[in-house]
Short mmCIF file of all heavy atoms in Angstrom, two decimals:
data_model
loop_
_atom_site.label_atom_id
_atom_site.label_comp_id
_atom_site.label_asym_id
_atom_site.label_seq_id
_atom_site.Cartn_x
_atom_site.Cartn_y
_atom_site.Cartn_z
N CYS Q 1330 -0.24 -0.02 0.16
CA CYS Q 1330 -1.61 0.08 -0.33
C CYS Q 1330 -2.42 0.98 0.61
O CYS Q 1330 -2.38 0.79 1.83
CB CYS Q 1330 -2.27 -1.30 -0.40
SG CYS Q 1330 -1.31 -2.54 -1.29
N LYS Q 1401 11.10 -16.72 -10.11
CA LYS Q 1401 10.87 -17.43 -8.85
C LYS Q 1401 11.69 -16.88 -7.69
O LYS Q 1401 11.38 -17.16 -6.53
CB LYS Q 1401 11.18 -18.92 -9.04
CG LYS Q 1401 10.35 -19.62 -10.10
CD LYS Q 1401 8.86 -19.56 -9.79
CE LYS Q 1401 8.05 -20.31 -10.85
NZ LYS Q 1401 6.59 -20.19 -10.60
N LYS Q 1484 -4.33 16.91 -4.07
CA LYS Q 1484 -4.37 16.34 -2.73
C LYS Q 1484 -3.64 14.99 -2.70
O LYS Q 1484 -2.92 14.68 -1.74
CB LYS Q 1484 -5.82 16.19 -2.27
CG LYS Q 1484 -6.52 17.53 -2.05
CD LYS Q 1484 -8.01 17.37 -1.77
CE LYS Q 1484 -8.68 18.73 -1.60
NZ LYS Q 1484 -10.14 18.62 -1.39
N LYS Q 1486 -1.25 14.18 -4.77
CA LYS Q 1486 0.17 14.50 -4.94
C LYS Q 1486 0.83 14.82 -3.61
O LYS Q 1486 1.96 14.38 -3.34
CB LYS Q 1486 0.32 15.69 -5.89
CG LYS Q 1486 1.77 16.10 -6.14
CD LYS Q 1486 1.87 17.31 -7.06
CE LYS Q 1486 3.32 17.70 -7.29
NZ LYS Q 1486 3.44 18.89 -8.16
N LEU Q 1505 3.18 5.48 -8.57
CA LEU Q 1505 1.87 5.46 -7.91
C LEU Q 1505 0.87 4.85 -8.87
O LEU Q 1505 0.68 5.34 -9.99
CB LEU Q 1505 1.45 6.88 -7.55
CG LEU Q 1505 0.04 7.03 -6.94
CD1 LEU Q 1505 -0.04 6.36 -5.58
CD2 LEU Q 1505 -0.35 8.50 -6.84
N CYS Q 1519 -20.36 6.54 -8.55
CA CYS Q 1519 -19.32 7.58 -8.50
C CYS Q 1519 -18.43 7.54 -9.74
O CYS Q 1519 -17.32 8.07 -9.73
CB CYS Q 1519 -18.47 7.40 -7.25
SG CYS Q 1519 -19.38 7.53 -5.70
N SER Q 1540 -7.33 0.71 -15.03
CA SER Q 1540 -8.70 0.66 -15.54
C SER Q 1540 -9.57 -0.29 -14.72
O SER Q 1540 -9.13 -1.36 -14.28
CB SER Q 1540 -8.69 0.20 -17.00
OG SER Q 1540 -10.00 0.00 -17.47
N ALA Q 1566 -1.64 -5.41 -11.33
CA ALA Q 1566 -0.42 -6.19 -11.56
C ALA Q 1566 0.08 -6.04 -12.99
O ALA Q 1566 1.29 -5.92 -13.23
CB ALA Q 1566 -0.68 -7.66 -11.23
N MET Q 1569 1.92 -2.84 -13.29
CA MET Q 1569 3.21 -2.87 -12.60
C MET Q 1569 4.21 -3.72 -13.37
O MET Q 1569 5.40 -3.38 -13.44
CB MET Q 1569 3.03 -3.40 -11.18
CG MET Q 1569 4.26 -3.20 -10.31
SD MET Q 1569 4.60 -1.44 -10.02
CE MET Q 1569 6.40 -1.44 -9.98
#
Side-chain angles (χ1 to χ4, degrees):
C1330 308
K1401 301 299 182 184
K1484 293 173 181 177
K1486 180 182 180 181
L1505 175 67
C1519 299
S1540 173
M1569 192 65 214

